[in-house]
Amino acid sequence: TKGLVVYPGVIKKHIIEDNFFADRHRLMFKIKSGFRIKDLRINWTGKYQYSIFDPSEHNWNNVKSSNKIRNRFQLKYKDTSFKFYPYVYSEIFIPIDQYSRNFLKTEAYRLSGGIEYELIKDNILELFFVFENEFDAVNSQYFIYGLSYSYNF
């Protein structure tokens, strides 16, 4: 990544929580920067995230929101003569809501690794693993495995 790149974004997702689906809506702004040392890419991504979620089957009296700052540091090996690109990253989540008991303290972290494979130009298949740990939570550790496909315009 050359220079500084800014991305706005909106995400709506459904998660399974307490045996039912819960909606999560996010508005985010992302800033990304990085540099290369030969085939090694070192990136930093900073993200502001505003989340709205409904923990109880669409009862608007129970809607909660949160504001977070997320910082991600990533190392990625990208040799263009080889179509496999391994990477690792770490990410921390810092709440910026004044009413949060973790105000300006690390609330959670993620560690991840994976490998991207370029099928053909701009078509990427990715296999990944994510470990997430939330502090001060009852079910605080998550293990996420995944396979994703992406197309870059």
PDB file of all heavy atoms in Angstrom, residues 17-34:
ATOM      1  N   GLU A  17     -26.783 -16.224  18.427  1.00  0.00           N
ATOM      2  CA  GLU A  17     -26.477 -15.893  19.816  1.00  0.00           C
ATOM      3  C   GLU A  17     -27.601 -16.446  20.677  1.00  0.00           C
ATOM      4  O   GLU A  17     -28.767 -16.136  20.443  1.00  0.00           O
ATOM      5  CB  GLU A  17     -26.390 -14.371  19.935  1.00  0.00           C
ATOM      6  CG  GLU A  17     -25.746 -13.884  21.195  1.00  0.00           C
ATOM      7  CD  GLU A  17     -25.486 -12.394  21.104  1.00  0.00           C
ATOM      8  OE1 GLU A  17     -26.383 -11.617  21.490  1.00  0.00           O
ATOM      9  OE2 GLU A  17     -24.398 -12.006  20.652  1.00  0.00           O
ATOM     10  N   ASP A  18     -27.279 -17.259  21.628  1.00  0.00           N
ATOM     11  CA  ASP A  18     -28.275 -17.879  22.502  1.00  0.00           C
ATOM     12  C   ASP A  18     -29.356 -18.612  21.702  1.00  0.00           C
ATOM     13  O   ASP A  18     -30.550 -18.467  21.947  1.00  0.00           O
ATOM     14  CB  ASP A  18     -28.925 -16.842  23.429  1.00  0.00           C
ATOM     15  CG  ASP A  18     -27.915 -16.225  24.374  1.00  0.00           C
ATOM     16  OD1 ASP A  18     -26.964 -16.933  24.771  1.00  0.00           O
ATOM     17  OD2 ASP A  18     -28.062 -15.041  24.708  1.00  0.00           O
ATOM     18  N   ASN A  19     -28.919 -19.348  20.697  1.00  0.00           N
ATOM     19  CA  ASN A  19     -29.783 -20.182  19.855  1.00  0.00           C
ATOM     20  C   ASN A  19     -30.782 -19.412  18.988  1.00  0.00           C
ATOM     21  O   ASN A  19     -31.798 -19.945  18.587  1.00  0.00           O
ATOM     22  CB  ASN A  19     -30.530 -21.228  20.685  1.00  0.00           C
ATOM     23  CG  ASN A  19     -29.568 -22.208  21.291  1.00  0.00           C
ATOM     24  OD1 ASN A  19     -28.588 -22.591  20.653  1.00  0.00           O
ATOM     25  ND2 ASN A  19     -29.834 -22.622  22.514  1.00  0.00           N
ATOM     26  N   PHE A  20     -30.549 -18.143  18.716  1.00  0.00           N
ATOM     27  CA  PHE A  20     -31.352 -17.433  17.722  1.00  0.00           C
ATOM     28  C   PHE A  20     -30.452 -16.439  17.005  1.00  0.00           C
ATOM     29  O   PHE A  20     -29.362 -16.116  17.446  1.00  0.00           O
ATOM     30  CB  PHE A  20     -32.578 -16.746  18.339  1.00  0.00           C
ATOM     31  CG  PHE A  20     -32.260 -15.601  19.252  1.00  0.00           C
ATOM     32  CD1 PHE A  20     -32.118 -14.317  18.762  1.00  0.00           C
ATOM     33  CD2 PHE A  20     -32.122 -15.803  20.618  1.00  0.00           C
ATOM     34  CE1 PHE A  20     -31.836 -13.264  19.599  1.00  0.00           C
ATOM     35  CE2 PHE A  20     -31.841 -14.751  21.470  1.00  0.00           C
ATOM     36  CZ  PHE A  20     -31.696 -13.480  20.960  1.00  0.00           C
ATOM     37  N   PHE A  21     -30.916 -15.973  15.844  1.00  0.00           N
ATOM     38  CA  PHE A  21     -30.135 -15.026  15.066  1.00  0.00           C
ATOM     39  C   PHE A  21     -30.302 -13.623  15.633  1.00  0.00           C
ATOM     40  O   PHE A  21     -31.396 -13.208  15.982  1.00  0.00           O
ATOM     41  CB  PHE A  21     -30.576 -15.035  13.601  1.00  0.00           C
ATOM     42  CG  PHE A  21     -30.095 -16.220  12.851  1.00  0.00           C
ATOM     43  CD1 PHE A  21     -30.913 -17.314  12.656  1.00  0.00           C
ATOM     44  CD2 PHE A  21     -28.814 -16.252  12.334  1.00  0.00           C
ATOM     45  CE1 PHE A  21     -30.478 -18.422  11.963  1.00  0.00           C
ATOM     46  CE2 PHE A  21     -28.362 -17.358  11.642  1.00  0.00           C
ATOM     47  CZ  PHE A  21     -29.195 -18.442  11.458  1.00  0.00           C
ATOM     48  N   ALA A  22     -29.209 -12.903  15.713  1.00  0.00           N
ATOM     49  CA  ALA A  22     -29.239 -11.512  16.158  1.00  0.00           C
ATOM     50  C   ALA A  22     -28.637 -10.647  15.055  1.00  0.00           C
ATOM     51  O   ALA A  22     -27.700 -11.064  14.372  1.00  0.00           O
ATOM     52  CB  ALA A  22     -28.435 -11.357  17.446  1.00  0.00           C
ATOM     53  N   ASP A  23     -29.203  -9.478  14.868  1.00  0.00           N
ATOM     54  CA  ASP A  23     -28.695  -8.561  13.848  1.00  0.00           C
ATOM     55  C   ASP A  23     -27.580  -7.704  14.412  1.00  0.00           C
ATOM     56  O   ASP A  23     -27.636  -7.267  15.566  1.00  0.00           O
ATOM     57  CB  ASP A  23     -29.810  -7.634  13.354  1.00  0.00           C
ATOM     58  CG  ASP A  23     -30.840  -8.360  12.524  1.00  0.00           C
ATOM     59  OD1 ASP A  23     -30.467  -9.330  11.845  1.00  0.00           O
ATOM     60  OD2 ASP A  23     -32.010  -7.947  12.550  1.00  0.00           O
ATOM     61  N   ARG A  24     -26.585  -7.466  13.588  1.00  0.00           N
ATOM     62  CA  ARG A  24     -25.509  -6.533  13.918  1.00  0.00           C
ATOM     63  C   ARG A  24     -25.371  -5.572  12.732  1.00  0.00           C
ATOM     64  O   ARG A  24     -25.282  -6.014  11.601  1.00  0.00           O
ATOM     65  CB  ARG A  24     -24.174  -7.248  14.109  1.00  0.00           C
ATOM     66  CG  ARG A  24     -24.154  -8.307  15.190  1.00  0.00           C
ATOM     67  CD  ARG A  24     -24.062  -7.661  16.552  1.00  0.00           C
ATOM     68  NE  ARG A  24     -24.307  -8.634  17.583  1.00  0.00           N
ATOM     69  CZ  ARG A  24     -23.443  -8.975  18.506  1.00  0.00           C
ATOM     70  NH1 ARG A  24     -22.258  -8.443  18.549  1.00  0.00           N
ATOM     71  NH2 ARG A  24     -23.781  -9.850  19.427  1.00  0.00           N
ATOM     72  N   HIS A  25     -25.377  -4.298  13.006  1.00  0.00           N
ATOM     73  CA  HIS A  25     -25.203  -3.287  11.965  1.00  0.00           C
ATOM     74  C   HIS A  25     -23.960  -2.488  12.329  1.00  0.00           C
ATOM     75  O   HIS A  25     -23.805  -2.080  13.480  1.00  0.00           O
ATOM     76  CB  HIS A  25     -26.418  -2.358  11.910  1.00  0.00           C
ATOM     77  CG  HIS A  25     -27.711  -3.086  11.801  1.00  0.00           C
ATOM     78  ND1 HIS A  25     -28.200  -3.523  10.605  1.00  0.00           N
ATOM     79  CD2 HIS A  25     -28.608  -3.472  12.743  1.00  0.00           C
ATOM     80  CE1 HIS A  25     -29.362  -4.135  10.805  1.00  0.00           C
ATOM     81  NE2 HIS A  25     -29.624  -4.132  12.093  1.00  0.00           N
ATOM     82  N   ARG A  26     -23.106  -2.262  11.349  1.00  0.00           N
ATOM     83  CA  ARG A  26     -21.865  -1.534  11.624  1.00  0.00           C
ATOM     84  C   ARG A  26     -21.633  -0.447  10.588  1.00  0.00           C
ATOM     85  O   ARG A  26     -21.824  -0.671   9.405  1.00  0.00           O
ATOM     86  CB  ARG A  26     -20.662  -2.482  11.583  1.00  0.00           C
ATOM     87  CG  ARG A  26     -20.617  -3.437  12.712  1.00  0.00           C
ATOM     88  CD  ARG A  26     -19.371  -4.277  12.636  1.00  0.00           C
ATOM     89  NE  ARG A  26     -19.339  -5.187  13.744  1.00  0.00           N
ATOM     90  CZ  ARG A  26     -18.549  -6.235  13.812  1.00  0.00           C
ATOM     91  NH1 ARG A  26     -17.713  -6.507  12.817  1.00  0.00           N
ATOM     92  NH2 ARG A  26     -18.567  -7.027  14.863  1.00  0.00           N
ATOM     93  N   LEU A  27     -21.188   0.675  11.075  1.00  0.00           N
ATOM     94  CA  LEU A  27     -20.704   1.750  10.232  1.00  0.00           C
ATOM     95  C   LEU A  27     -19.235   1.909  10.583  1.00  0.00           C
ATOM     96  O   LEU A  27     -18.883   1.955  11.761  1.00  0.00           O
ATOM     97  CB  LEU A  27     -21.463   3.045  10.535  1.00  0.00           C
ATOM     98  CG  LEU A  27     -20.949   4.298   9.840  1.00  0.00           C
ATOM     99  CD1 LEU A  27     -21.120   4.184   8.326  1.00  0.00           C
ATOM    100  CD2 LEU A  27     -21.668   5.519  10.375  1.00  0.00           C
ATOM    101  N   MET A  28     -18.375   1.959   9.579  1.00  0.00           N
ATOM    102  CA  MET A  28     -16.953   2.027   9.893  1.00  0.00           C
ATOM    103  C   MET A  28     -16.193   2.892   8.900  1.00  0.00           C
ATOM    104  O   MET A  28     -16.617   3.069   7.767  1.00  0.00           O
ATOM    105  CB  MET A  28     -16.345   0.640   9.956  1.00  0.00           C
ATOM    106  CG  MET A  28     -16.371  -0.123   8.662  1.00  0.00           C
ATOM    107  SD  MET A  28     -15.798  -1.804   8.856  1.00  0.00           S
ATOM    108  CE  MET A  28     -17.190  -2.515   9.680  1.00  0.00           C
ATOM    109  N   PHE A  29     -15.081   3.404   9.375  1.00  0.00           N
ATOM    110  CA  PHE A  29     -14.132   4.126   8.551  1.00  0.00           C
ATOM    111  C   PHE A  29     -12.770   3.513   8.810  1.00  0.00           C
ATOM    112  O   PHE A  29     -12.389   3.305   9.955  1.00  0.00           O
ATOM    113  CB  PHE A  29     -14.127   5.617   8.898  1.00  0.00           C
ATOM    114  CG  PHE A  29     -15.431   6.282   8.605  1.00  0.00           C
ATOM    115  CD1 PHE A  29     -16.384   6.420   9.591  1.00  0.00           C
ATOM    116  CD2 PHE A  29     -15.710   6.734   7.321  1.00  0.00           C
ATOM    117  CE1 PHE A  29     -17.601   7.008   9.332  1.00  0.00           C
ATOM    118  CE2 PHE A  29     -16.928   7.323   7.041  1.00  0.00           C
ATOM    119  CZ  PHE A  29     -17.878   7.466   8.044  1.00  0.00           C
ATOM    120  N   LYS A  30     -12.061   3.225   7.733  1.00  0.00           N
ATOM    121  CA  LYS A  30     -10.799   2.508   7.853  1.00  0.00           C
ATOM    122  C   LYS A  30      -9.691   3.320   7.198  1.00  0.00           C
ATOM    123  O   LYS A  30      -9.872   3.881   6.122  1.00  0.00           O
ATOM    124  CB  LYS A  30     -10.961   1.149   7.172  1.00  0.00           C
ATOM    125  CG  LYS A  30      -9.767   0.275   7.182  1.00  0.00           C
ATOM    126  CD  LYS A  30     -10.067  -1.159   6.779  1.00  0.00           C
ATOM    127  CE  LYS A  30     -10.655  -1.362   5.437  1.00  0.00           C
ATOM    128  NZ  LYS A  30     -10.733  -2.770   5.026  1.00  0.00           N
ATOM    129  N   ILE A  31      -8.548   3.357   7.858  1.00  0.00           N
ATOM    130  CA  ILE A  31      -7.346   3.986   7.324  1.00  0.00           C
ATOM    131  C   ILE A  31      -6.278   2.909   7.254  1.00  0.00           C
ATOM    132  O   ILE A  31      -6.079   2.161   8.209  1.00  0.00           O
ATOM    133  CB  ILE A  31      -6.854   5.135   8.238  1.00  0.00           C
ATOM    134  CG1 ILE A  31      -7.924   6.216   8.335  1.00  0.00           C
ATOM    135  CG2 ILE A  31      -5.550   5.701   7.720  1.00  0.00           C
ATOM    136  CD1 ILE A  31      -7.602   7.295   9.342  1.00  0.00           C
ATOM    137  N   LYS A  32      -5.600   2.829   6.117  1.00  0.00           N
ATOM    138  CA  LYS A  32      -4.630   1.759   5.919  1.00  0.00           C
ATOM    139  C   LYS A  32      -3.334   2.332   5.360  1.00  0.00           C
ATOM    140  O   LYS A  32      -3.360   3.204   4.507  1.00  0.00           O
ATOM    141  CB  LYS A  32      -5.219   0.739   4.942  1.00  0.00           C
ATOM    142  CG  LYS A  32      -4.409  -0.486   4.739  1.00  0.00           C
ATOM    143  CD  LYS A  32      -5.164  -1.469   3.843  1.00  0.00           C
ATOM    144  CE  LYS A  32      -4.388  -2.742   3.689  1.00  0.00           C
ATOM    145  NZ  LYS A  32      -5.115  -3.727   2.875  1.00  0.00           N
ATOM    146  N   SER A  33      -2.235   1.806   5.871  1.00  0.00           N
ATOM    147  CA  SER A  33      -0.932   2.225   5.385  1.00  0.00           C
ATOM    148  C   SER A  33       0.035   1.052   5.506  1.00  0.00           C
ATOM    149  O   SER A  33      -0.203   0.128   6.281  1.00  0.00           O
ATOM    150  CB  SER A  33      -0.418   3.416   6.191  1.00  0.00           C
ATOM    151  OG  SER A  33       0.777   3.899   5.624  1.00  0.00           O
ATOM    152  N   GLY A  34       1.100   1.082   4.751  1.00  0.00           N
ATOM    153  CA  GLY A  34       2.064  -0.002   4.836  1.00  0.00           C
ATOM    154  C   GLY A  34       3.263   0.231   3.943  1.00  0.00           C
ATOM    155  O   GLY A  34       3.352   1.239   3.242  1.00  0.00           O
TER     156      GLY A  34
END
